[in-house]
Amino acid sequence: MAGEDGKDKVAPRTTEGQRKLDRRDVLMGLSTVPALGLFGYAWRKQNQVKQAAARAAVAPREAAAAGDVREVNVALLGAGAQGQVLTEAMQRIPGLRFRAVCDIWTEYNQRRVVNTLKRYGHEVNGYVDYREMLDKEPAIEAVVIATPDFWHAEHAIACMKAGKHVYCEKEMSNTLEGARNMVLAARETGKLLQIGHQRRSNPRYIHCHDKLLKEANLLGRIVTVNGQWNRAVAADLGAPDRYAIPQATLTQFGFKDMHQFRNWRWYKGLGGGPIVDLGSHQIDIYSWFLGSNPTHVTASGGLLYHDPKTHEWYDTVMVIYDYMTPAGPAKAYYQTQTTNGSQGYFETFMGDQGTLLISESELNNPGSIYRDPNAPAWDAWIQKGYIGAPVIPEAKDEEEGASGAIADVRESAAPDRHKVPVALTDPYHQPHLQNFFDAVRGKARLNCPAEVGYESAVAVLKVNEAIESNTRLAFRPEDFKVGGEA
Amino acid sequence: MSQPDEESGLRIEGRRARDARRHSHEAMHTVFEVYALHPDARYAAQAAEAALALTQRLERDLSRFIANSDISRINRLEAGEATRVSLETLECLVIARHMFEVTDGAFDISIGTGLSSIELDEDALVVRATQPGVRLDLGGIGKGYAVDLMADVLEEWGLRVALVHGGFSSVLALDGPVDGEGWPLTLSDPAAPARVLARLSACQTSIGASGLVKGDHIVDPRTGEPVRGRRAAWVAAPRPATRGQAAADGAPRLAVTAVTDALTTACMVMSVDEITALCARSPGLEAWVLEDHGQDGAGEAGLRHFGGMHSDGPVALQTGDA
Ligand SMILES: NC(=O)c1ccc[n+]([C@@H]2O[C@H](COP(=O)([O-])OP(=O)(O)OC[C@H]3O[C@@H](n4cnc5c(N)ncnc54)[C@H](O)[C@@H]3O)[C@@H](O)[C@H]2O)c1
């Protein structure tokens, strides 16, 4: 046995009785005992892979064959953290055929995604320059964009002009001008442009909006809204030294250095800081659920904690929006900070008959609705399955753990708590992508088309402006339109 | 299955080891930590952060407590239904199934609900159920798998002198903090943590730990009966040299900590003969079991040692707090 020669390498026990476990070569011995060994699974697979590769080369993709969905050729532009999450979600959507991956970080992100896709039978080519990709890959029908915010406008517009449908991550753009041009390009080319506010396709959010608020009006008149995204302190992002991008490439693509390339969110002109990065998702929900765009914004923020040499945007932001909703005036508070993750992220809508507490997180507090003691009974809605039966107080702590957000609501009025009985069962971004590809196939309308993404960008980007000018800023209704609407 | 983390009976000791910078993150109901020695503290922190970020991503796929995780979706499958999962979920399931076979069912992520009714299509990343009602719980392997992936990230960043663990029940030692020596670890009695049972020096080695405190019990998935007479188990195996292969190779990773993680759970329920046989056919594998009643004349809680590359019998115990 190979173990025999491993034996020499085992250091003898020291006088203290310590023994070395440094026997990496022993495992090589294991590898010669394929199926039964501890890593037998890898051996089995290696043999299968060769056969599978041969099969994949000839067989059409199972998905296209499986359903009667039309196959769509896709490219990914921006294969970073979010590009990888989206790719992963897209691999679960039937009928997609990846053709190309474009990313300037060839040795790291691009290679990783290309390799993964190849492993699953997609013949993808890697590109650094999106223009070359658009030139050389005429078969691409849809491009999914997850580059840093300051690239979105150029990338999305070029793709649409080249005849592609586009799914573009939020924030739509770091500038209003960029966002406006994206809307115009979508209109001009007639191509689809979905913005990545994925809560718009989340079944729980849709249920709350369509059923609980609009149809059943369970909250009554919503007067206040509260929400937050708090994050604990985290080290700046870095990169393995050996995969550093050459300075010439960084400069060519608008980055000062590797640190800025990895932490673009914190830099003016590249991203928008936490309020745009995190807040944009939830402020989008405020407008959606309230059925109107804000009329004013008041905000305070600052760089209170992080190093100003590497952080240009505010690490702490507190905002108050005014709304004139169809039902009357409302105020909404939002805060984001990056020094303490207390209670994570959620949105709370408070009406005269109830409170809705909702979060995208499936782990913490995904959805609860509380009936004000004076509100009419909700029995009919329970029977219809719109909301769960009241949660018995004793069971609360066990069920939800020690969630401060719930405790607050409970202490103030002890209203009945009902669960929102709809959960997201797919990975977070899958329904929004599915909606996009359904629309590409002509089978759905976009849940977050360019115009909606634009309205959201107007509301969000104004916050940084309000902080800078230290005044309450007004929105005019026409601010939310790019002009020339039908 | 119960694996209280504070009771894994596995610890780091020694001054040089304590010099290593520690970075931690909570996920999967435990605390993951990276100990690393590197001249550039900021760089090391970024590497550790990149590695620790993986745990959250994996939890999203592997936790049965999260409604939209892969495992939750599998647990809801009706007969004949299938769902797509991530590459990592599939890899973890492949390893878990293999460990089920290797341990003759003593390690069973379905806890007796029928692992055989789950079909894995490794090429299409699809999991299919042939029967309804299977309930998977990756609690006994997910942490170890996460630790393996984290170590790959650290190496990618060039951090070699490091130790990664999840709640000290899944430990992977890379190169040791002192030249030519490993990370100094202790195995101790979970019921009496001050009682050190053995001292190990580990590098490029994975060690898993499983322990029980009073009142806990562990069920043998093969019989459904609670197991008696075991207080803790530890399993060690050397890290393969060909670990962390690029995905393009097509073969799953040689995820040694996932393997030892699974085997410690199995060692809590397998008979002494079974453990002996497992170690005999797995060169390099080493196991320790802390028995509860000292049936072997080794004291009230006797430590048994199995396997390893040396043929000179069980390790002499280092009892006491020396
Ligand atoms: N919807 C969500 O929940 C969500 C979550 C995270 C990020 N995002 C959004 O996704 C986008 C990407 O964020 P991230 O966290 O993945 O950032 P990232 O820095 O991890 O990734 C960006 C990638 O784009 C590449 N890139 C940069 N400029 C490029 C160019 N000109 N051409 C081609 N490739 C280029 C980089 O090499 C990198 O791989 C951002 O707009 C962000 O706001 C959305």
Side-chain angles (χ1 to χ4, degrees), chain A residues 1 3-4 6-7 10 13 16-31 33-42 44-46 48-49 52 55 61-63 84-85 88 91-93 108 112 115-116 119-120 233-243 259 263 310 362-363 423-428, chain B residues 42-43 45-46 49 60-61 66-68 70 73 76 84-87 91 94-95 98-99 101-102 122-125 155-158 160 180-181 199-205 207 236 238-241 243 245 247-256 259 263 281-286 288 305 309-312 315-316 318:
Chain A
M1 282 218 23
E4 287 306 309
K7 193 171 174 179
V10 178
R13 285 178 217 175
E16 293 87 34
Q18 287 199 346
R19 298 175 323 104
K20 305 278 184 193
L21 290 178
D22 186 5
R23 283 170 274 101
R24 51 204 317 197
D25 353 48
V26 169
L27 260 287
M28 298 318 292
L30 276 191
S31 332
V33 193
L36 256 187
L38 296 183
F39 301 101
Y41 63 87
R44 243 182 267 172
K45 178 64 188 163
Q46 252 161 10
Q48 288 170 14
V49 167
R55 236 187 306 135
R61 295 284 301 165
E62 43 95 24
Q84 291 173 33
V85 168
E88 162 88 8
Q91 279 179 272
R92 299 163 200 239
I93 296 177
Y108 201 62
R112 173 172 302 185
N115 283 349
T116 307
R119 178 172 172 177
Y120 295 103
V233 176
D236 292 349
L237 298 174
D241 280 341
R242 71 172 105 146
Y243 297 121
H259 186 273
N263 299 279
T310 48
E362 289 298 333
L363 191 53
L424 176 64
T425 53
D426 293 318
Y428 286 105
Chain B
R42 198 178 91 137
Y43 183 76
Q46 290 173 340
E49 196 97 26
R60 243 177 262 160
D61 287 347
I66 300 180
N68 62 339
D70 287 343
R73 281 203 320 286
R76 283 191 297 263
R84 279 221 185 197
V85 298
S86 73
L87 169 57
E91 200 160 273
V94 165
I95 299 170
H98 182 65
M99 298 327 289
E101 287 165 13
V102 163
E122 292 183 52
D123 298 318
L125 295 178
E155 289 197 326
E156 192 169 55
W157 283 66
R160 300 235 146 58
E181 279 183 40
R199 292 196 150 76
L200 312 170
S201 169
C203 81
Q204 298 299 340
T205 294
I207 305 177
R239 188 166 180 237
R243 61 198 169 254
Q245 307 164 354
D249 293 355
R253 277 185 191 78
L254 304 188
V256 66
V259 166
L263 291 180
R281 62 172 194 266
S282 311
L285 187 69
E286 197 155 359
W288 296 260
H305 175 249
M309 285 314 300
H310 28 75
S311 46
D312 47 353
V315 190
Q318 279 202 296

Side-chain angles (χ1 to χ4, degrees), chain B residues 44 67 81 88 92 116 138 164 186 200 208-209 222 224 226 230 236 265-266 312:
Chain B
E81 284 183 348
E88 285 78 17
C92 222
S116 58
L138 296 192
V164 188
T186 60
L200 312 170
R222 299 173 294 189
R230 294 274 163 85
T265 310
D312 47 353

Side-chain angles (χ1 to χ4, degrees), chain B residues 63-297:
Chain B
S63 169
R64 72 193 166 94
F65 301 109
I66 300 180
N68 62 339
S69 74
D70 287 343
I71 295 305
S72 293
R73 281 203 320 286
I74 294 170
N75 286 347
R76 283 191 297 263
L77 291 179
E78 296 293 334
E81 284 183 348
T83 186
R84 279 221 185 197
V85 298
S86 73
L87 169 57
E88 285 78 17
T89 304
L90 198 101
E91 200 160 273
C92 222
L93 292 174
V94 165
I95 299 170
R97 186 181 58 186
H98 182 65
M99 298 327 289
F100 177 86
E101 287 165 13
V102 163
T103 62
D104 207 6
F107 176 75
D108 180 1
I109 54 166
S110 81
I111 319 170
T113 60
L115 192 60
S116 58
S117 65
I118 289 292
E119 291 175 358
L120 307 178
D121 182 336
E122 292 183 52
D123 298 318
L125 295 178
V126 166
V127 177
R128 198 171 285 108
T130 57
Q131 304 276 326
V134 70
R135 293 289 173 273
L136 303 185
D137 176 354
L138 296 192
I141 192 167
K143 275 180 273 180
Y145 182 72
V147 164
D148 288 320
L149 264 62
M150 288 169 69
D152 291 348
V153 171
L154 295 179
E155 289 197 326
E156 192 169 55
W157 283 66
L159 262 70
R160 300 235 146 58
V161 179
L163 178 142
V164 188
H165 77 87
F168 270 114
S169 63
S170 315
V171 179
L172 180 56
L174 305 185
D175 289 350
V178 181
D179 253 2
E181 279 183 40
W183 289 86
L185 301 175
T186 60
L187 308 187
S188 53
D189 184 346
R195 190 182 159 220
V196 173
L197 303 168
R199 292 196 150 76
L200 312 170
S201 169
C203 81
Q204 298 299 340
T205 294
S206 157
I207 305 177
S210 238
L212 294 183
V213 276
K214 255 212 189 80
D216 274 339
H217 65 280
I218 196 160
V219 171
D220 186 339
R222 299 173 294 189
T223 61
E225 297 289 316
V227 175
R228 304 202 184 284
R230 294 274 163 85
R231 198 180 285 176
W234 298 267
V235 170
R239 188 166 180 237
T242 51
R243 61 198 169 254
Q245 307 164 354
D249 293 355
R253 277 185 191 78
L254 304 188
V256 66
T257 319
V259 166
T260 54
D261 215 2
L263 291 180
T264 56
T265 310
C267 282
M268 289 296 282
V269 307
M270 287 196 292
S271 71
V272 165
D273 288 347
E274 283 177 305
I275 301 175
T276 307
L278 173 67
C279 289
R281 62 172 194 266
S282 311
L285 187 69
E286 197 155 359
W288 296 260
V289 168
L290 183 62
E291 308 205 297
D292 220 333
H293 301 298
Q295 298 102 325
D296 242 1

Side-chain angles (χ1 to χ4, degrees), chain A residues 81-82 103 109 146 149 151-152 169-170 198 261 264-265:
Chain A
Q82 183 63 7
D103 196 295
N109 284 341
D149 297 0
W151 275 104
H152 289 175
E169 262 307 342
K170 49 55 62 181
Q198 72 274 1
F261 167 76
W264 55 265
R265 292 174 155 75

Side-chain angles (χ1 to χ4, degrees), chain A residues 199-473:
Chain A
R199 285 167 180 74
R200 294 256 178 184
S201 298
N202 181 307
R204 182 166 54 252
Y205 279 80
I206 293 174
H207 177 79
C208 287
H209 176 267
D210 293 359
K211 303 282 199 261
L212 306 190
L213 300 191
K214 291 289 158 279
E215 184 186 334
N217 192 26
L218 290 185
L219 301 188
R221 165 84 199 283
I222 300 174
V223 184
T224 52
V225 182
N226 179 38
Q228 68 167 44
W229 194 321
N230 288 349
R231 258 191 192 169
V233 176
D236 292 349
L237 298 174
D241 280 341
R242 71 172 105 146
Y243 297 121
I245 300 174
Q247 185 57 47
T249 309
L250 288 173
T251 309
Q252 183 193 342
F253 289 97
F255 301 98
K256 194 173 70 185
D257 51 25
M258 267 314 271
H259 186 273
Q260 198 193 54
F261 167 76
R262 294 294 288 127
N263 299 279
W264 55 265
R265 292 174 155 75
W266 287 101
Y267 288 86
K268 296 193 172 170
L270 281 67
I275 184 65
V276 173
D277 196 34
L278 307 172
S280 120
H281 284 295
Q282 299 163 287
I283 292 163
D284 178 58
I285 299 307
Y286 285 11
S287 303
W288 180 27
F289 279 18
L290 291 174
S292 59
N293 288 310
T295 58
H296 294 85
V297 60
T298 314
S300 172
L303 190 66
L304 310 187
Y305 184 88
H306 288 92
D307 183 355
K309 285 203 282 298
T310 48
H311 298 72
E312 294 178 356
W313 281 120
Y314 316 114
D315 56 22
T316 308
V317 173
M318 296 169 178
V319 192
I320 297 166
Y321 285 105
D322 293 322
Y323 291 84
M324 182 52 73
T325 76
K331 280 186 189 284
Y333 175 76
Y334 182 80
Q335 96 171 27
T336 178
Q337 46 98 340
T338 41
T339 46
N340 178 312
S342 173
Q343 298 177 48
Y345 51 99
F346 62 83
E347 303 93 54
T348 310
F349 294 84
M350 289 164 275
D352 55 2
Q353 300 190 356
T355 302
L356 173 68
L357 173 60
I358 186 170
S359 169
E360 189 194 26
S361 167
E362 289 298 333
L363 191 53
N364 302 311
N365 249 325
S368 293
I369 184 160
Y370 303 80
R371 190 179 66 88
D372 185 90
N374 301 316
W378 285 354
D379 301 8
W381 303 111
I382 298 172
Q383 262 154 35
K384 269 187 115 164
Y386 279 27
I387 56 176
V391 178
I392 305 151
E394 284 77 39
K396 279 179 189 166
D397 288 342
E398 254 184 49
E399 274 205 328
E400 295 290 350
S403 165
I406 284 178
D408 286 348
V409 179
R410 220 172 12 177
E411 277 162 26
S412 54
D416 285 347
R417 174 182 163 230
H418 305 253
K419 283 196 174 182
V420 177
V422 180
L424 176 64
T425 53
D426 293 318
Y428 286 105
H429 300 271
Q430 188 175 329
H432 204 45
L433 286 158
Q434 181 78 57
N435 168 251
F436 170 68
F437 288 109
D438 286 348
V440 167
R441 294 191 179 103
K443 294 189 172 149
R445 288 163 59 97
L446 292 180
N447 287 338
C448 191
E451 282 81 2
V452 172
Y454 182 75
E455 291 179 21
S456 180
V458 171
V460 172
L461 294 177
K462 198 83 158 187
V463 173
N464 281 334
E465 211 182 295
I467 297 171
E468 250 155 61
S469 63
N470 202 19
T471 47
R472 179 169 185 254
L473 299 180

